[in-house]
Amino acid sequence: MEEKITAAIVNRFFEKLRKSLTVDVVVVGAGPSGMIAAKYLADAGKSVALFERKLAPGGGIWGGGMLMNEIVFQDDVKDILDDFGITAADAGDGYLTADAVEVASALIYHSRKAGAVFYNAVSVEDIMFHENRVCGVVINWTPVERLQMHVDPLVVTARAVIDGTGHPSEVATLAARKAGIRLDTPSGGVMGERPMWMASGEASTVENTKRLYPGLYSSGMAANNIMGGFRMGPIFGGMFKSGRKVAALILDDLGR
Ligand code: 48F
């Protein structure tokens, strides 16, 4: 029995990983914006691999605001909530609330069911950059990263890479530093996030979601950090719209 169980896991995992070695889209970071992008891209028939440093996908959703596990949305994202089967309650003045655990699990479930493949406890530590194009990511197990083991990584090739890493915008930061490229930002580099201003941050999260360089896109809080937008704290409408926008941008560029 032991042999069969072990073989089942090993065989299935490597079957899955082999199919993800070359994909249409890599999403770095399984936060709300990345998972929403993943579902819409997979729904459109694109092959998608998501790499998430932590064991549990979900990013900043689980803790709501200050560990109070409710999420607030503007009511103009009701259609996205419906696409993910999330039940939301009216909070008045154009706001909705939903249970954070329901939101996180719905995003995980529906993006996976749409065909996006998750690799949790896997960190993206570098990009692949050929002939002026971001064309993949360099990955390693998170425990290898955490323990600083001297272990070489592996590489996944992609036609588009989304930096959905949240506040640190790790992928764009790496790209600007190591590839020495000018990103599509006012300075050509990562501008850095500004302090709390919810209304501005919410709007700019969507505006700032863009193609930064051939093959490289941003979503969510990373998009705001890259473009110097304001932070917005525990309101998630902008994250949802950003995920949908980056999926549409990539579909325009790769072809639907
Ligand atoms: O920050 P995060 O939740 O992404 P987001 O879509 O959403 C932001 C909101 O949660 C919240 C907010 C609401 O208004 O401001 O913060 O921008 O999730 C980012 C995910 O990326 C993972 C990280 O563990 C988190 O789950 N991540 C970060 N760097 C890497 C990574 C990396 N190098 N490789 C893999 N995963």
Side-chain angles (χ1 to χ4, degrees), residues 17-66:
L17 183 61
R18 208 171 293 115
K19 285 192 199 142
S20 297
L21 297 183
T22 301
V23 289
D24 292 318
V25 185
V26 157
V27 180
V28 187
S33 65
M35 289 192 285
I36 283 169
K39 172 179 161 43
Y40 290 132
L41 287 161
D43 281 343
K46 300 298 172 205
S47 53
V48 181
L50 284 127
F51 295 101
E52 168 52 52
R53 174 176 282 137
K54 294 188 182 141
L55 191 55
I61 302 170
W62 299 102
M66 213 178 134

Side-chain angles (χ1 to χ4, degrees), residues 28-34 51-54 59-61 122-124 164-167 170 220-222 232-233 235-236 239:
V28 187
S33 65
F51 295 101
E52 168 52 52
R53 174 176 282 137
K54 294 188 182 141
I61 302 170
V122 175
S123 294
V124 168
T165 62
H167 294 265
E170 290 192 23
M221 209 51 229
M232 78 297 294
I235 173 134
F236 280 72
M239 296 300 142

Side-chain angles (χ1 to χ4, degrees), residues 182-214:
R182 274 192 73 80
L183 304 174
D184 182 13
T185 70
S187 68
V190 172
M191 307 285 293
E193 179 187 300
R194 299 168 79 189
M196 178 75 88
W197 181 2
M198 283 194 187
S200 173
E202 275 296 281
S204 67
T205 300
V206 186
E207 281 158 29
N208 291 338
T209 297
K210 55 157 66 178
R211 188 181 79 141
L212 295 162
Y213 196 80

